[in-house]
Amino acid sequence: MSLSTAIVASAAMEEGQAAPAKPARQTPALWLPRVDSLAEFGLMISRQLTQCRRYGGHLSVLWLEAAPAGAEDDATLAASASGEPPAADEGEGGAERVAALETRSQLMTAVGRRLRSRVRGTDMVLQVGETSFAVLLLDAGLREAHLVQQRLAPALNSPYGVDTRMLQVRLQMGTASFPEGGLRGADLAESARQDLRRRRC
């Protein structure tokens, strides 16, 4: 039995006890769950890691960091690094920052949807914080994760339509595999982030 089959079967048994099964198409296919920290990500994938240990399976984490391309967007990201909303008395500058942050949010939503549509239905895709994404690749070792990364790069780096504009992103990716990259979800995510930083240098 493959790891993905075991996880699907296990999840179906648990959910079947709580409520009648729903057709898969009733769930919006391109909606992404969001977590705000590596610790939350680790909790989200704990079931998959447990199944991996039980059946001796493989899984990999693909970590993506996206940023709007352009000097104006860089300034917006730097200004909002504290996470605090613009003050009401900032006037026109505050309104521009609010609009820029809303545009960034819409752009990240578009990135997440495209990412979700480009991976397998059995892979888990999460948004982590404002501008990061994690993909849990089931039954995939490091070699397979690198192949997925190479396939995703051109698709995700293409322009995105946001409102009436076409926007570009700067996208960087890193990978890590269980168990070499860590035994816990947060450790795997951190290993993938370190791989991203190494590629950035």
Side-chain angles (χ1 to χ4, degrees):
M1 179 186 294
S2 71
L3 174 61
S4 57
T5 303
I7 291 172
V8 170
S10 175
M13 289 178 60
E14 293 177 12
E15 292 172 4
Q17 296 171 357
K22 295 180 180 180
R25 293 291 182 182
Q26 288 187 0
T27 302
L30 300 182
W31 176 83
L32 293 188
R34 175 174 166 174
V35 296
D36 292 318
S37 68
L38 296 187
E40 288 183 57
F41 170 76
L43 290 174
M44 287 286 286
I45 71 168
S46 60
R47 175 186 292 172
Q48 286 83 353
L49 286 172
T50 298
Q51 296 288 342
C52 219
R53 294 186 193 99
R54 181 179 299 169
Y55 294 102
H58 297 279
L59 62 80
S60 293
V61 171
L62 177 61
W63 188 270
L64 304 92
E65 291 183 1
E72 181 180 338
D73 295 312
D74 287 341
T76 298
L77 288 171
S80 62
S82 65
E84 296 178 1
D89 59 359
E90 287 186 14
E92 186 175 330
E96 289 176 357
R97 279 184 59 196
V98 169
L101 290 171
E102 177 61 26
T103 297
R104 185 185 71 174
S105 176
Q106 293 175 7
L107 177 58
M108 292 303 112
T109 298
V111 171
R113 287 175 175 170
R114 187 179 292 181
L115 174 60
R116 172 69 272 179
S117 71
R118 294 300 196 280
V119 297
R120 301 172 300 179
T122 54
D123 297 327
M124 178 187 290
V125 182
L126 299 169
Q127 183 171 352
V128 185
E130 296 292 335
T131 58
S132 297
F133 300 88
V135 183
L136 185 66
L137 302 166
L138 298 176
D139 289 330
L142 203 56
R143 179 177 175 276
E144 291 83 2
H146 286 154
L147 291 174
V148 173
Q149 180 177 339
Q150 292 170 10
R151 181 173 55 81
L152 286 175
L156 297 179
N157 279 302
S158 300
Y160 294 81
V162 176
D163 291 332
T164 59
R165 294 183 290 170
M166 295 300 291
L167 300 180
Q168 200 80 34
V169 296
R170 293 192 310 275
L171 190 69
Q172 297 174 310
M173 294 184 276
T175 56
S177 290
F178 171 89
E180 296 85 0
L183 299 177
R184 299 183 308 157
D187 296 335
L188 280 170
E190 183 56 38
S191 293
R193 292 176 69 190
Q194 291 175 5
D195 182 57
L196 180 151
R197 294 187 190 105
R198 284 193 295 270
R199 294 168 184 272
R200 182 186 295 168
C201 296

